[in-house]
């Protein structure tokens, strides 16, 4: 049968009717608002005008969003763009158009790291979200989640040297290829008798819209309470702050009170001094609000965000920052749909 003139449009309309979320995401966000900042990526002196011109920066940014939305590697995102009509429509590419290869995607992400643009992109998105009327309301919830990294098979002596900021003995003799696969930034920690290796994603989520307002990336060994003050959002219209018992201390309670916040941090029992029934009930009531942050981490886990396959804290920070940004994009699109 000879293909009709509107066959592609009909197919795309059917995909959206069947639940494709990308058209809604495309309409919800002003993607051009990121262009000025993203153009910094190409701010380098060209030796000549010869050669292929770089791909559009907004196109490349949207490719990174797709990667984190569907948990795709650089090779897989190239394949899926070539294969899927829905991806081409989201990227404003024709099915026969040129597609950036895996290496180009990797290089663009590296430039974001070198220029330290991810946090600025996150802030730009939050400004857009606030302008749309979804400001931070009803207080904030602070929590952290482990983001595991590939485990390094190092000896105890090698790990001890890494913790001291030294190069382990004998590593100088290894090839550059081997050394590039050694993550000297990630750290081990233990929680509830389970060992974790990698990094932490510390977030502050507003209680009204479940949007990530602030975030901080650290190694896994950093205690949650050490970045608590950095995460607090002074722009929230409500002074209530929820967090689990790891954040509670006398100094923290005094600091929150002095800065005009109302603490709803869970209390914790001590050895030979368990919580009273009243304290347990208070924790239960607080946790009914605090659990909303777990919905955020659950969505990110479904997106494949609780694992990084990169090497080093700088690249992990880019990965986790883009994961938080993509979550907010997805949530923003949903909120606008609910408003409509």
């Amino acid at each position: 049968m000879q293909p009709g003139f509107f066959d592609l449009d009909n197919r795309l309309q059917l995909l959206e009717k069947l639940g494709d979320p990308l058209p809604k995401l495309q309409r919800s966000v002003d993607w051009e608002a990121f262009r000025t900042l993203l153009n910094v990526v190409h701010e380098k002196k060209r030796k000549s005008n010869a050669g292929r011109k770089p791909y559009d920066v907004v196109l490349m940014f949207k490719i990174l969003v797709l990667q984190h939305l569907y948990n795709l590697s650089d090779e897989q995102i190239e394949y899926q763009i070539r294969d899927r009509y829905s991806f081409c429509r989201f990227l404003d590419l024709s099915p026969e158009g040129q597609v950036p290869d895996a290496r180009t995607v990797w290089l663009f992400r590296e430039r974001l790291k070198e220029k330290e643009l991810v946090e600025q992109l996150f802030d730009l998105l939050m400004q857009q979200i606030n302008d749309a009327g979804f400001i931070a309301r009803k207080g904030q919830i602070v929590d952290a989640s482990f983001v595991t990294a590939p485990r390094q098979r190092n000896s105890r002596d090698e790990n001890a040297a890494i913790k001291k900021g030294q190069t382990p003995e004998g590593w100088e003799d290894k090839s550059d290829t081997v050394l590039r696969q050694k993550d000297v930034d990630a750290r081990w920690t233990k929680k509830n008798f389970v060992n974790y290796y990698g990094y932490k994603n510390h977030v502050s989520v507003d209680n009204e819209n479940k949007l990530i307002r602030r975030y901080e990336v650290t190694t896994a060994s950093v205690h949650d309470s050490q970045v608590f003050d950095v995460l607090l959002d002074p722009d929230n219209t409500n002074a209530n702050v929820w967090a689990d018992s790891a954040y509670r201390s006398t100094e923290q309670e005094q600091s929150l009170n002095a800065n005009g916040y109302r603490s709803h941090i869970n209390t914790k029992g001590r050895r030979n001094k368990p919580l009273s029934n009243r304290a347990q009930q208070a924790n239960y009531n607080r946790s009914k609000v605090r659990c909303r942050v777990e919905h955020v981490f659950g969505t990110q886990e479904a997106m494949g965000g609780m694992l990084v396959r990169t090497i080093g804290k700088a690249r992990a920070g880019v990965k986790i920052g883009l994961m938080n940004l993509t979550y907010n994009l997805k949530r923003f699109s949903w909120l606008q749909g609910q408003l409509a």
Side-chain angles (χ1 to χ4, degrees):
M1 182 183 296
Q2 185 175 0
F5 188 75
F6 296 104
D7 283 358
L8 179 58
D9 288 338
N10 293 336
R11 173 177 287 207
L12 293 175
Q13 289 175 13
L14 180 59
L15 286 174
E16 186 171 358
K17 189 179 295 185
L18 291 173
D20 180 14
L22 295 180
K24 186 186 296 183
L25 183 60
Q26 172 81 311
R27 294 189 295 266
S28 300
V29 180
D30 179 10
W31 297 97
E32 284 298 314
F34 299 98
R35 182 176 296 281
T36 302
L37 179 59
L38 288 168
N39 280 335
V40 176
V41 168
H42 295 319
E43 283 184 356
K44 59 179 181 179
K45 189 175 181 180
R46 290 177 61 91
K47 295 179 180 179
S48 72
N49 292 325
R52 189 177 66 184
K53 297 299 184 290
Y55 284 98
D56 180 76
V57 289
V58 175
L59 166 70
M60 297 303 300
F61 176 55
K62 291 168 76 174
I63 287 175
L64 295 184
V65 169
L66 283 176
Q67 266 194 301
H68 289 79
L69 198 59
Y70 292 96
N71 190 27
L72 299 171
S73 66
D74 293 343
E75 290 74 17
Q76 271 296 307
I77 190 64
E78 178 188 354
Y79 169 77
Q80 294 294 346
I81 293 170
R82 296 181 187 279
D83 186 64
R84 295 174 68 167
Y85 286 111
S86 58
F87 278 24
C88 288
R89 172 171 58 176
F90 178 69
L91 298 172
D92 295 320
L93 290 174
S94 61
E96 66 277 3
Q98 286 191 338
V99 176
D101 60 19
R103 177 67 177 176
T104 303
V105 175
W106 183 88
L107 286 171
F108 183 79
R109 190 169 52 249
E110 281 292 291
R111 293 291 289 170
L112 293 184
K113 172 180 72 73
E114 293 165 7
K115 297 290 186 178
E116 299 180 348
L117 296 181
V118 174
E119 289 189 14
Q120 297 180 59
L121 290 168
F122 182 89
D123 292 339
L124 265 181
L125 174 61
M126 292 316 303
Q127 180 181 334
Q128 193 173 146
I129 289 174
N130 288 334
D131 291 344
F134 300 105
I135 62 174
R137 296 188 178 96
K138 294 187 178 181
Q140 55 195 300
I141 310 164
V142 177
D143 207 348
S145 177
F146 290 110
V147 181
T148 57
R151 297 189 174 191
Q152 304 291 297
R153 305 302 176 183
N154 304 326
S155 67
R156 289 188 177 182
D157 291 340
E158 288 173 337
N159 282 330
I162 290 172
K163 286 183 180 180
K164 294 177 182 178
Q166 302 171 354
T167 302
E169 185 177 353
W171 280 25
E172 299 90 344
D173 301 329
K174 295 181 179 180
S175 67
D176 290 340
T177 304
V178 173
L179 292 177
R180 280 199 294 267
Q181 302 304 315
K182 291 292 186 179
D183 193 337
V184 297
D185 297 329
R187 292 290 184 269
W188 286 96
T189 192
K190 181 179 286 189
K191 182 177 181 181
N192 298 330
F193 306 104
V194 178
N195 291 319
Y196 295 92
Y197 179 77
Y199 302 91
K200 268 186 183 179
N201 181 25
H202 306 260
V203 300
S204 173
V205 175
D206 76 282
N207 185 28
E208 165 92 345
N209 298 309
K210 281 201 298 190
L211 288 161
I212 298 173
R213 297 290 171 173
R214 290 190 173 191
Y215 76 91
E216 189 75 16
V217 178
T218 68
T219 60
S221 60
V222 174
H223 194 270
D224 296 355
S225 61
Q226 293 182 3
V227 295
F228 185 70
D229 294 337
V230 179
L231 295 172
L232 292 176
D233 180 14
D235 296 327
N236 199 295
T237 61
N238 190 290
N240 292 325
V241 178
W242 288 267
D244 64 31
S245 58
Y247 294 90
R248 192 177 187 93
S249 68
T250 302
E251 294 78 9
Q252 198 66 265
E253 294 296 297
Q254 292 173 349
S255 175
L256 286 171
N257 186 58
N259 288 286
Y261 293 104
R262 287 190 294 270
S263 174
H264 295 277
I265 302 177
N266 283 10
T267 54
K268 52 186 173 182
R270 300 176 183 175
R271 182 176 295 180
N272 300 324
K273 204 172 183 181
L275 293 176
S276 65
N277 290 335
R278 182 179 179 181
Q280 291 180 31
Q281 183 61 43
N283 277 355
Y284 175 76
N285 292 335
R286 296 185 189 108
S287 294
K288 286 194 290 186
V289 176
R290 195 186 62 79
C291 70
R292 290 173 66 81
V293 74
E294 301 299 339
H295 303 165
V296 176
F297 292 140
T299 301
Q300 290 185 327
E301 188 167 5
M303 291 161 49
M306 295 305 152
L307 170 68
V308 293
R309 295 181 177 87
T310 56
I311 301 296
K313 185 173 182 291
R315 286 175 178 158
V318 170
K319 159 72 178 177
I320 295 169
L322 288 171
M323 175 182 70
N324 291 334
L325 184 149
T326 302
Y327 165 81
N328 275 357
L329 283 169
K330 184 177 181 180
R331 183 69 181 172
F332 180 37
S333 175
W334 184 86
L335 288 169
Q336 287 190 313
Q338 294 298 108
L339 191 64

